[in-house]
Amino acid sequence: MDLGLYLDVTISVYLKCPNPLKISYLKNIMTPSRKLWKLLFVSTPVGALGTGLGGGVELTLYNVAQQMLHRGHKLQIVAPVGSIWKDIPIIQIPGNLQTIAQSQKRADGIVMADNSTLANMWDYVREIECDYNLIVNFAYDWLPFYLTPFFKKPIAHLVSMSSLSNAIDEVIEKVGKNFPHALGFHSSYQAETFSGSIQPLHILSNGIDIALYDFCPQPKKQLAWIGRISPEKGLEDAVALSRKMNIPLKIMGKLQDKYYWQKICRDYPHAPVEYLGFLSTKEMQKIVRECSALLMTHRWVEAFGNVAIEALACGVPIVSYRRGGPKEIVQDGKTGFLVTPDSITDLVDAVSRLGEINRYQCRQQAEMEFSLEALGNRFEKWFETILALEIKI
Ligand code: UDP
């Protein structure tokens, strides 16, 4: 059967299905020129997928992988041993985990563990690279950036954090210069923390499966804080606000730095806060959707902030410091408030004004800007640009 006829038949079968989204999606993707690729996704070496140690990278990798498979591409994930990720098969690599970049100082040198998971993962990738069209790196580590010119196949690097280390900045800049489309960022505020010479910029934002998050029109008088419990996330300011306004605060996320958490508990013994642990998406959204707002009190330039779009999907407004990715997500005064960084007074003012926010508009923003399909389109376009360049070479 010729391809045009095949597409007509497929689309007409789908036309019987009453879901117009499916039809437009099919029309979008089933174009005769569309190429299907073999993609090799290489995860972060700081923790196994599913543990929460990898932060937002875990959900991002899963969502992009799902979208690529859904669009007919072939895909393999390489990740540290112990990685479990729903229905997607993973090649598990043993070794000692990599130290997180955010725990190191800007001028520190690069540290590699003995029997390093990171090195083992990239050894493995080198063995199998020829079976794939494109390697996609999700790790914010010096080694994969450095290795870029030594591989036969192109590498797309999703830069998951803002600038933190001189050595990593330098190697990222070099990749940007020698492989102009190889770098992808989540937000332009994140990208601008690196050298201004990186051009063109691929800003990929993020996306989630909105259907997994239920809308809640009537919240309880309580607030949420979600994230890794680690100093750069500034949890103490959210706890201070909870104490000051006497509003219960539900805390969810991986306990990455237990001394930091113990200090917060000592400093605010009477704050009405409750730590619920690291929850599955299903459990997490059940709690956050009943909250009046999600607080984002980060001290660093958050590259994006997956938790912001997850809250919006439940109809929950964001009260965030005007710093990094959330500046690009929150529509100030409409789907939340952006306040002066590190100001508890401004946080209190914003929380007092939450009645001005229409929760339907929050959900609507998530549906319009952060759907899985939109995420898939952006990544597919980025991969296509890199692969088109390959062919020309
Ligand atoms: N998360 C989760 N369960 C929890 C708390 C957080 O699955 O109890 C996930 C959340 O869905 C998000 C990630 O942890 O994907 C945090 O990512 P974010 O981009 O907000 O911050 P990062 O950790 O990458 O700095």
Side-chain angles (χ1 to χ4, degrees), residues 54-226:
V57 169
E58 297 188 19
L59 187 67
T60 304
L61 186 150
Y62 177 68
N63 285 339
V64 179
Q66 242 199 91
Q67 267 299 298
M68 293 304 129
L69 288 168
H70 186 60
R71 289 156 190 252
H73 302 293
K74 295 260 186 306
L75 184 133
Q76 181 62 64
I77 298 174
V78 175
V81 79
S83 293
I84 304 165
W85 212 231
K86 299 176 189 158
D87 40 359
I88 299 183
I90 296 173
I91 293 176
Q92 309 215 1
I93 305 291
N96 292 314
L97 298 175
Q98 192 71 11
T99 312
I100 53 169
Q102 57 273 40
S103 71
Q104 290 175 281
K105 297 201 176 62
R106 176 164 280 284
D108 282 354
I110 299 301
V111 178
M112 292 291 291
D114 56 311
N115 184 26
S116 148
T117 305
L118 174 63
N120 295 345
M121 280 163 78
W122 284 87
D123 271 346
Y124 179 75
V125 170
R126 193 165 43 84
E127 278 170 31
I128 59 166
E129 64 164 324
C130 289
D131 296 338
Y132 295 86
N133 301 104
L134 180 68
I135 302 163
V136 186
N137 168 41
F138 288 80
Y140 187 95
D141 288 289
W142 183 86
L143 186 69
F145 291 106
Y146 174 76
L147 289 176
T148 313
F150 302 102
F151 275 73
K152 294 186 187 73
K153 294 293 169 150
I155 307 181
H157 297 275
L158 179 62
V159 182
S160 58
M161 290 189 271
S162 298
S163 162
L164 292 174
S165 139
N166 293 342
I168 298 180
D169 280 12
E170 199 177 289
V171 78
I172 287 181
E173 198 178 319
K174 212 164 174 180
V175 170
K177 201 162 147 218
N178 296 329
F179 302 89
H181 293 280
L183 301 174
F185 298 89
H186 286 295
S187 67
S188 41
Y189 291 109
Q190 172 207 8
E192 78 189 16
T193 64
F194 296 94
S195 144
S197 68
I198 300 173
Q199 287 296 335
L201 285 178
H202 291 274
I203 306 294
L204 300 154
S205 183
N206 233 328
I208 48 172
D209 183 352
I210 308 282
L212 299 178
Y213 302 83
D214 295 328
F215 175 69
C216 172
Q218 291 295 343
K220 293 180 184 162
K221 196 170 182 246
Q222 64 186 29
L223 300 167
W225 187 96
I226 313 176

Side-chain angles (χ1 to χ4, degrees), residues 52-60 85 102 160-161 206 208 213 225-228 232-233 251-254 256 275-281 283-284 296 300 302-308 310:
L53 287 168
V57 169
E58 297 188 19
L59 187 67
T60 304
W85 212 231
Q102 57 273 40
S160 58
M161 290 189 271
N206 233 328
I208 48 172
Y213 302 83
W225 187 96
I226 313 176
R228 287 174 295 101
E232 71 276 11
K233 292 291 192 173
I251 301 167
M252 290 154 271
K254 187 80 187 171
Q256 204 159 36
Y275 173 53
L276 302 167
F278 178 71
L279 306 180
S280 65
T281 301
E283 293 306 314
M284 189 183 82
M296 293 188 74
W300 69 345
E302 191 77 57
F304 185 75
N306 276 352
V307 297
E310 295 182 87

Side-chain angles (χ1 to χ4, degrees), residues 309-322:
I309 61 175
E310 295 182 87
L312 287 176
C314 299
V316 176
I318 318 297
V319 173
S320 173
Y321 287 153
R322 190 179 285 110

